[in-house]
Amino acid sequence: MHYPAPMQPAPPSTIAPRRVFIETFGCQMNVLDSELVRDQLLALGYRLVPSAADADVVLFNTCAVRATSEQKVLSRLGVMGKRKKERPELVVGMLGCMAERAGADLQRALKHLDVVVGPSELDRLPALLDEVAAGQGQVRALSGHAVRRSRTLDAAMERLEALDQGRLVDPDQASAQRYVRVTRGCNKMCSFCIVPFTRGPETHRDPDAIVDEVRRLVAAGAVEVTLLGQTINHYRHGEVGFAHLLARVHDEVPELPRLRFLTSFPRDFGDDALEVMATRARICPFLHVPAQSGSDRLLKKMNRGYTVEQYLELVRRARSALPQLAIVGDMIVGYPSETDADHEASLELLRDVRYKTVYVFKYSPRPGTVSNARDPDDVPDEVKRARNQQMLSLQHAISLEHHRALVGTAVEVLVEGAAKLDPGDRQGSGEQALVQIARPARTDGVRLTSRTRGDHIVAFHGDAKLVGTLARVRVLRATPLSLSGELI
Ligand code: SAH
Ligand code: F3S
């Protein structure tokens, strides 16, 4: 495949507005997409500002996975609609999965936007913003299902590759934790999930491009790189499968202290990948492998393609290869027709697996999915809420046991920032403004937050200069959600 040269900073175009604010909702893939959008705009002379109030262009990079993710964006759009009445020249755009979905139910909210861009069209954003500035009215760039047609897929992927390759990696921009895309889209078609429709079919990046990107990020100061894909263990490019890719990134970038990857699909997780993890110390002993349910009947309805026993077999295999492994899962409660017995089976799965963390989601019907058309959303919301609570309290008890086992030990952590994060900046969900955590001004010691190799959160008191570096901390206290300790 031919790669265009990385984008060079160009003189600002005379018609484009300058100051841009990007707010990101949803998954890590969106965080990465926002970063690439930002880099694209910075290279063209735009300036990033930390609040929508200071911006000429406000972009929301959105998530469509659950109705609640969309509601947050809709309320932002309400605020922006009012602001546009006072400042008609303000440009407001929606990027990402909610834009791609652009369902009938969203048309009223979309009407007032200037630009609507799906996740597979983000490379076109600068040109679209120029069109808006030239007075074109609303512009939309959506893939629809066209990207599913193989005829257009290669071309679409080559264009998108330019977006990843255009990444700015100068040390000034550097953050210690970086994401690198490995796989785009998803072919799984889990019956509840909108991602295959919004992000299109699974395609895999060239391993040389991936290794090269990791190398450039590490040269610019990255301490931890997370490889991203919806079903990352399905990676295949020519002869190179996932285990081989993981080994290559690890072996060919020996200066990288920490390598991780997200998200694994429970089927086809090979012993070869576990072997690569077990024999390469800089790969973190961490696996995010969602089960979604502990009921075989529901797994079948969800089209997940494995049974509870097959899932547990993977967990046993992984733990025997990697005794220190931290396993993280996702579970859906209240999937259509879920009975008390199904729910009990899901709780039993949590007890069997003993996850480090579980993200629990209440089933949310998504337009266009098989579940939505086939299965009535018949579990009442109060039942979903009760099951959600029950599952979380069970998991909290399990997480607390994992955390207590670490009390008294010394752990290596990557220091992320001051412990009091933005209220919106929560792990795994919620919105994240695309402004990197600034180094706190005080240097006489502050409450810092950090993560272990198993992704446990550890708070401790230390010099703010430690942000972005690895430190050793003795763990003193444990709660279900985090640890605290002292710098060694
Ligand atoms: N493989 C992807 C999954 C993306 S969606 C990844 O990278 O994580 C993330 C999680 O959202 C899923 O694992 C699932 O637990 C949850 N989810 C997806 N669709 C949902 C829906 N319609 N209702 C509730 N939860 C959903
Ligand atoms: Fe969604 Fe299933 Fe893919 S959860 S992202 S369709 S693996």
Side-chain angles (χ1 to χ4, degrees):
M1 194 188 260
H2 155 80
Y3 297 124
M7 253 183 289
Q8 296 300 319
S13 112
T14 47
I15 44 170
R18 298 290 77 125
R19 296 168 302 168
V20 61
F21 171 76
I22 308 175
E23 187 174 6
T24 308
F25 298 81
C27 66
Q28 290 88 351
M29 200 62 101
N30 265 12
V31 174
L32 173 60
D33 279 341
S34 290
E35 188 183 329
L36 299 176
V37 161
R38 175 199 68 186
D39 288 355
Q40 201 177 206
L41 295 176
L42 288 178
L44 292 169
Y46 285 76
R47 198 155 61 78
L48 194 72
V49 291
S51 96
D54 303 325
D56 305 304
V57 178
V58 175
L59 301 172
F60 298 107
N61 192 8
T62 61
C63 171
V65 161
R66 285 170 295 279
T68 45
S69 349
E70 295 193 342
Q71 277 146 16
K72 284 187 213 149
V73 175
L74 292 175
S75 82
R76 294 289 197 285
L77 293 188
V79 174
M80 288 301 135
K82 289 201 193 97
R83 209 167 280 169
K84 259 173 97 70
K85 287 212 181 93
E86 293 152 23
R87 269 184 70 197
E89 73 283 7
L90 178 69
V91 173
V92 181
M94 184 193 280
L95 317 178
C97 290
M98 192 175 167
E100 181 65 46
R101 180 171 93 71
D105 55 319
L106 294 177
Q107 290 312 317
R108 240 182 52 164
L110 294 182
K111 223 167 52 202
H112 304 293
L113 290 167
D114 300 289
V115 47
V116 182
V117 188
S120 303
E121 305 290 328
L122 291 173
D123 59 301
R124 293 169 60 192
L125 180 66
L128 299 171
L129 288 176
D130 280 349
E131 281 179 35
V132 170
Q136 298 283 301
Q138 187 185 78
V139 289
R140 290 191 181 198
L142 306 175
S143 299
H145 290 222
V147 83
R148 286 211 159 269
R149 272 182 264 131
S150 57
R151 200 160 51 80
T152 62
L153 188 59
D154 281 350
M157 287 310 113
E158 198 153 334
R159 266 191 10 234
L160 277 176
E161 184 59 30
L163 190 67
D164 289 80
Q165 303 259 330
R167 191 166 198 174
L168 298 177
V169 287
D170 66 280
D172 282 353
Q173 296 271 345
S175 127
Q177 288 164 294
R178 307 302 291 258
Y179 295 123
V180 170
R181 197 180 334 260
V182 160
T183 297
R184 296 189 179 86
C186 184
N187 285 348
K188 275 292 165 211
M189 294 292 181
C190 300
S191 61
F192 52 82
C193 186
I194 199 162
V195 172
F197 303 101
T198 58
R199 288 199 175 263
E202 188 179 271
T203 59
H204 308 281
R205 292 184 70 199
D206 187 319
D208 292 337
I210 296 167
V211 171
D212 184 60
E213 191 172 323
V214 174
R215 202 181 279 130
R216 290 198 295 139
L217 291 169
V218 173
V223 178
E224 180 179 291
V225 168
T226 304
L227 305 177
L228 293 184
Q230 305 294 344
T231 52
I232 197 164
N233 50 313
H234 287 174
Y235 176 84
R236 176 150 291 281
H237 191 276
E239 291 300 297
V240 181
F242 178 60
H244 189 172
L245 175 75
L246 203 54
R248 272 197 62 183
V249 174
H250 176 278
D251 298 352
E252 294 178 32
V253 195
E255 308 82 7
L256 172 64
R258 284 185 175 191
L259 175 62
R260 5 170 142 260
F261 57 89
L262 294 172
T263 304
S264 300
F265 193 75
R267 240 179 52 189
D268 317 319
F269 199 104
D271 284 336
D272 51 353
L274 293 172
E275 162 87 13
V276 167
M277 292 174 78
T279 52
R280 285 163 172 84
R282 290 179 292 108
I283 302 179
C284 294
F286 174 86
L287 215 55
H288 184 175
V289 56
Q292 312 297 1
S293 172
S295 152
D296 281 335
R297 185 181 72 85
L298 290 188
L299 286 175
K300 196 159 186 197
K301 278 180 91 106
M302 290 175 171
N303 193 30
R304 291 287 289 181
Y306 54 85
T307 62
V308 173
E309 184 42 39
Q310 284 166 330
Y311 183 87
L312 291 173
E313 187 273 329
L314 164 63
V315 169
R316 284 193 292 269
R317 214 157 30 92
R319 285 239 166 86
S320 87
L322 297 146
Q324 300 300 317
L325 188 66
I327 303 180
V328 172
D330 295 354
M331 295 293 276
I332 294 178
V333 292
Y335 187 82
S337 84
E338 186 185 63
T339 61
D340 286 339
D342 293 320
H343 175 59
E344 185 48 51
S346 288
L347 297 176
E348 195 55 30
L349 180 76
L350 262 59
R351 292 186 199 103
D352 285 345
V353 176
R354 299 182 46 75
Y355 291 102
K356 176 193 94 78
T357 305
V358 172
Y359 298 103
V360 184
F361 303 107
K362 290 187 291 172
Y363 172 70
S364 167
R366 303 282 63 215
T369 61
V370 168
S371 297
N372 187 52
R374 184 194 63 189
D375 307 322
D377 182 19
D378 57 2
V379 179
D381 198 53
E382 60 271 22
V383 176
K384 285 183 189 169
R385 256 185 284 143
R387 289 179 182 167
N388 184 62
Q389 268 316 317
Q390 204 184 356
M391 192 172 277
L392 282 177
S393 34
L394 169 61
Q395 182 54 42
H396 282 176
I398 296 168
S399 298
L400 183 60
E401 285 175 30
H402 284 300
H403 283 166
R404 282 200 176 129
L406 290 169
V407 172
T409 66
V411 291
E412 180 213 79
V413 294
L414 173 55
V415 186
E416 293 186 324
K420 213 170 167 308
L421 291 177
D422 215 33
D425 194 9
R426 278 174 295 129
Q427 186 200 9
S429 69
E431 57 275 31
Q432 303 167 337
L434 192 82
V435 178
Q436 269 144 21
I437 303 169
R439 286 172 193 245
R442 286 176 56 197
T443 52
D444 56 331
V446 285
R447 193 99 180 129
L448 296 169
T449 185
S450 66
R451 284 190 197 251
T452 68
R453 296 164 53 74
D455 210 40
H456 308 91
I457 299 169
V458 188
F460 68 100
H461 193 82
D463 193 321
K465 283 188 191 140
L466 290 172
V467 173
T469 68
L470 294 173
R472 280 181 76 73
V473 172
R474 184 171 320 282
V475 179
L476 299 176
R477 278 172 299 276
T479 73
L481 297 179
S482 67
L483 300 163
S484 57
E486 65 186 10
L487 192 66
I488 297 175

